[in-house]
Structures are given as structure tokens and as C-alpha cells.
Amino acid sequence: MVFAYTPAIIAHLESSHSPERLAPYYALAGNDKELGFQLYAWNSALSQALYTPLQGLEVTLRNGLSDRLRAAYGPTWFDLNPGPQLHYPLPDMLLKVRTELGRHGSIPDHGRVVAELNWGFWTGLLAKRYEQLWRSHFRQVFHADGPLTRADIFQPLDDLRRLRNRIAHHEPILNRNIAADYASILTLIRYISPDTARWVDSQSQVAAVLSAKP
């Protein structure tokens, strides 16, 4: 459906959006307000299209890493006794999840804890201070034809974490190289599960949305 942008409609749209929110789009549109709202809508479509691939990466990553933690430290690895040697803020994140689960009457078991931990926790496990965990356990999660370092995983994963946060807060992402971001998502999934990467790509609307740029 083609939306008709009349001056009156644009004024109504502006009244329901803050000037600060609209400013980046107006700037990109050369203060053409109709084009600005078209870019705003396109940004929303990009965010929606990226949500499923990002979800696929997060779920694949957390299952891969958590399975290695469970295999190495047992089903209650998140108690850290025994468990992996973690540093702030990761232990606090685990404690918060366990506390919240208990408060709601749920037993903090492996599945529930893993489901509640956020992207930042799993990315944090691949930071430089956990090089030993990478060499001992996490390197086995990722498979590549050539050499693969911890930084090869952490850097793009941390960048995608920032992208995901921007999407979650309804912020502009259209100034990013979305095609490169999407390729990075698929590459990271492929390191863990090539079949999952192909499946995610088969469901994706990213290419179609990119081609529809105003």
C-alpha cells in the first residue's frame, strides 16, 4: 500500500514523534520531510528483517557455549562451585538470573538459566580475559577451514551486540553497512552450524528490504 504524505499528515506524524527521533532521518533526507519518514519506515523494516537472523545467532551461540560449559563443569556450572573462573560482571549476571528465577518459583536449572542470560553474557565469555576458556573449551564450538582465533569471534559478535541494542531501542541503523552485518551474522552461525546458517538465510527478508531503499 502506498502511503500518501500530505502536509497535514506529516504534521500529525511529527506530533507523535519527538524532534530528536526524527532529526537523523530529516538530515539524511536533506530536510525533505516525506523522504525522512520513508527512511524512518525503511529503518523499521530493516530492524524487523534483522531480528530473526540475530535471534538465530543468539540462540545458536548460547546453546553452543552453554553445552560446552555443562560438559566441562556439570549441569549446575552456573553455581560456579565448581565452575568456570569468571570475572565481573558475569558472576553478577548469573546471580541475578538465579535470584529472579527463584523469586518466581522456578528452579534454576541449566535450561532456565541459559534462556534468561542475555547476549552480553555470552559475548563476555569470549572476551580477551577468557582466552583460556576459549582454548580449553569454546574453540571446540566453532569450526572453520582455516585458523580461527577468539578475537575472530568476539569482535564481530560484540559489534552485532551493539546493532541488536540499537534495534531494541528503536534507534537508526540505516547508516550501517547492513549487507556486511548480515553476512557477519551468517558467518558466525556457520562456524557453529552450517545447516542453521542456511536455514536462517532461507527465511531472511534482509536482501528484499535492502533493495527497497527509498
Side-chain angles (χ1 to χ4, degrees):
M1 181 183 71
V2 177
F3 188 85
Y5 288 94
T6 66
I9 287 175
I10 288 176
H12 290 152
L13 290 172
E14 286 181 323
S15 70
S16 62
H17 294 72
S18 68
E20 294 80 9
R21 179 166 293 279
L22 295 174
Y25 303 98
Y26 282 175
L28 287 171
N31 211 38
D32 179 331
K33 293 186 176 183
E34 178 175 340
L35 178 57
F37 273 103
Q38 290 174 342
L39 290 173
Y40 187 98
W42 186 61
N43 186 82
S44 297
L46 280 176
S47 298
Q48 182 179 5
L50 283 167
Y51 179 81
T52 297
L54 285 168
Q55 180 188 64
L57 172 57
E58 182 174 6
V59 171
T60 302
L61 176 74
R62 76 187 189 189
N63 285 340
L65 295 183
S66 67
D67 284 351
R68 288 304 309 159
L69 289 170
R70 179 168 56 181
Y73 300 103
T76 57
W77 59 269
F78 46 83
D79 285 335
L80 303 181
N81 186 30
Q85 185 69 34
L86 303 184
H87 307 280
Y88 177 84
L90 301 192
D92 287 1
M93 295 167 78
L94 283 171
L95 178 60
K96 180 179 178 181
V97 165
R98 290 162 53 201
T99 301
E100 285 299 312
L101 285 170
R103 185 175 297 157
H104 290 89
S106 299
I107 297 174
D109 59 16
H110 173 84
R112 291 187 179 94
V113 169
V114 169
E116 292 297 323
L117 289 167
N118 62 27
W119 186 301
F121 178 85
W122 304 111
T123 303
L125 282 176
L126 296 166
K128 185 175 182 180
R129 62 172 60 182
Y130 297 114
E131 182 71 32
Q132 188 55 52
L133 270 181
W134 165 263
R135 294 178 182 178
S136 301
H137 304 296
F138 296 152
R139 177 63 184 83
Q140 301 172 49
V141 176
F142 303 91
H143 311 281
D145 294 333
L148 189 66
T149 68
R150 177 200 53 75
D152 291 333
I153 302 297
F154 175 79
Q155 295 300 336
L157 190 63
D158 196 45
D159 186 49
L160 290 170
R161 176 186 62 81
R162 288 189 289 271
L163 171 61
R164 183 180 180 275
N165 287 346
R166 292 191 69 81
I167 290 173
H169 290 93
H170 317 300
E171 296 177 0
I173 63 168
L174 70 174
N175 57 340
R176 293 179 59 107
N177 186 337
I178 298 298
D181 287 329
Y182 181 59
S184 182
I185 292 169
L186 292 181
T187 296
L188 289 168
I189 297 175
R190 193 176 297 115
Y191 284 146
I192 304 171
S193 172
D195 286 337
T196 302
R198 286 193 293 270
W199 179 76
V200 167
D201 194 32
S202 74
Q203 310 299 315
S204 173
Q205 298 297 314
V206 173
V209 175
L210 281 173
S211 68
K213 180 178 181 179

